[in-house]
Amino acid sequence: MNVTKDKAVTINYKMSNSAGEVLDNTEDGDLIYLHGHQNIMPGLENALNGLKSGDDFKITLKPEDAFGEKSDDRIITVGKENFETDNLEAGMQFQTLDHDENVVIATIIEVKDKDVVIDENHPLAGMTLIFEGKVIEVRDATEEEISHGHIHSGHDHHHHHDHDECCDHDH
Ligand code: ZN
């Protein structure tokens, strides 16, 4: 069975950057996702389209197909009063809303007396990402899964932690 829209696709993969550093991998359990519903990043989803179970893949995503280029406009200074804690250090990451009200992961660059310099670029922005892995299984998704826009079985990798918000049933 081929990977097409509304299929439940199980993959494992290793994600590295162009320097060969491994940034993420599925060794703690395969990833199962619903194809065609933006459960995973669009560039990866496009590249998996049409593969079948057992296929190996090696996919290189340029920054524009992954998390975009880094933008200096997204490095901003905010007052410390915006944080709920005084325990702030360079390198810390947190979720926040950017000026377009999108949820983003921001990184603290520098902590000053009254202000904090943060980088609202995605931590993986500007990186070429290489995914190497295998398609483990492809099956038809259930009607319920398609209506929810995600999968109801298998290991939940950390790609859809908004699950509880949209489902009032157990998985
Ligand atoms: Zn659900």
Side-chain angles (χ1 to χ4, degrees), residues 144-145 148-152 163 166-169 171:
E144 189 187 49
E145 287 171 333
H148 280 216
H150 55 235
I151 292 303
H152 283 163
H163 199 250
C166 69
C167 294
D168 52 9
H169 53 78
H171 295 280

Side-chain angles (χ1 to χ4, degrees), residues 1-5 35 45-53 55 135:
M1 193 176 277
N2 291 78
V3 175
T4 54
K5 189 169 181 350
H35 193 79
E45 187 165 51
N46 284 341
L48 292 169
N49 202 43
L51 296 184
K52 55 186 190 311
S53 28
D55 280 353
V135 179

Side-chain angles (χ1 to χ4, degrees), residues 86-110:
D86 296 330
N87 184 17
L88 301 169
E89 269 178 51
M92 283 180 171
Q93 293 184 334
F94 58 96
Q95 274 197 353
T96 187
L97 293 177
D98 69 7
H99 57 275
D100 295 322
E101 302 281 299
N102 294 313
V103 177
V104 295
I105 299 167
T107 307
I108 295 179
I109 304 279
E110 188 183 354

